[in-house]
């Protein structure tokens, strides 16, 4: 057990990364001893603000919190903060799709190219999103009661997105319903 409250944690090979509610990234070495595992403290790093999610791609860690933070974890127990991208605002969810990082955030939906490590914006737009998914040239994002679908032609920031919004109260269809002949 830990004395601090965690906002997120990530286990990668022999390293456990966890972020406290005070924005401290703590690193632990995972040791296998007989039929048990032990954690050894391997240091900490202060992060700018509360982090809600961690992802590792190759030697880069992406942290979603008061923006998108990029850290180098070439040395897994000595992460180096490389970049803080404040444009998305609070990042609620992140997903990796090949060399792309999708962020659902307070300022909308952001799709980044991460092939070079540091994120480069491919697409940004829409309204606040709590969750998002990408498939090829389509991106779907939801703020809870509605879903917006964007077409990403050529993945150019200059191209306007195609947006479709679900009605606040979508019509529900049920079949068959033995208790109501009208449905």
């Amino acid at each position: 057990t830990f004395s601090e409250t965690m906002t997120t944690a990530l286990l990668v090979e022999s390293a456990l990364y966890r972020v406290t509610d005070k924005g401290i990234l703590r690193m632990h070495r995972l040791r296998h001893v007989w039929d048990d595992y032990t954690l050894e403290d391997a240091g900490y790093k202060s992060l700018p603000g509360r982090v809600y999610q961690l992802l590792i791609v190759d030697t880069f860690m992406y942290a979603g919190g008061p923006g998108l933070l990029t850290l180098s974890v070439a040395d897994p127990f000595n992460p180096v903060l490389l970049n803080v991208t404040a444009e998305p605002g609070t990042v609620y969810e992140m997903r990796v799709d090949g060399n792309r990082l999708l962020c659902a955030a307070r300022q909308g939906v952001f799709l980044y190219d991460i092939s070079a490590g540091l994120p480069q914006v491919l697409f940004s737009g829409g309204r606040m999103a709590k969750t998002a998914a990408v498939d090829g040239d389509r991106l779907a994002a939801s703020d809870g009661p509605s879903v917006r679908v964007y077409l990403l032609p050529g993945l150019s920031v200059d191209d306007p997105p195609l947006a479709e919004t679900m009605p606040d109260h979508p019509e529900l269809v049920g079949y068959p319903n033995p208790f109501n002949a009208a449905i």
Side-chain angles (χ1 to χ4, degrees), residues 19-180:
V19 180
T20 71
D21 60 347
K22 303 224 182 327
I24 305 294
L25 174 64
R26 296 205 177 268
M27 286 88 50
H28 303 276
R29 281 187 180 84
L30 185 65
R31 301 272 190 212
H32 186 243
V33 179
W34 294 95
D35 291 336
D36 199 10
Y37 286 93
T38 61
L39 292 176
E40 294 177 2
D41 191 13
Y44 68 93
K45 177 142 196 94
S46 293
L47 299 175
R50 185 176 284 199
V51 169
Y52 299 103
Q53 188 176 1
L54 297 173
L55 291 173
I56 290 185
V57 179
D58 298 325
T59 60
F60 294 94
M61 177 186 288
Y62 301 97
L68 178 62
L69 290 68
T70 306
L71 297 97
S72 169
V73 288
D75 177 353
F77 299 108
N78 186 23
V80 176
L81 183 62
L82 301 174
N83 188 38
V84 178
T85 304
E87 64 203 5
T90 302
V91 176
Y92 298 112
E93 182 183 63
M94 299 184 304
R95 295 175 190 262
V96 174
D97 177 57
N99 287 327
R100 302 182 302 181
L101 176 68
L102 176 63
C103 294
R106 180 176 299 280
Q107 302 302 330
V109 184
F110 293 80
L111 186 64
Y112 296 96
D113 176 4
I114 56 171
S115 60
L118 292 179
Q120 301 297 316
V121 176
L122 294 172
F123 172 84
S124 65
R127 293 182 288 193
M128 178 189 78
K130 294 280 187 165
T131 186
V134 66
D135 180 31
D137 63 350
R138 293 179 312 250
L139 187 148
S142 175
D143 60 358
S146 65
V147 173
R148 294 178 66 81
V149 176
Y150 302 91
L151 181 61
L152 307 170
L155 296 175
S156 171
V157 175
D158 298 329
D159 293 332
L162 169 69
E164 298 175 11
T165 303
M166 287 178 52
D168 288 338
H169 303 287
E171 179 182 344
L172 301 176
V173 178
Y175 175 83
N177 185 341
F179 302 105
N180 187 341

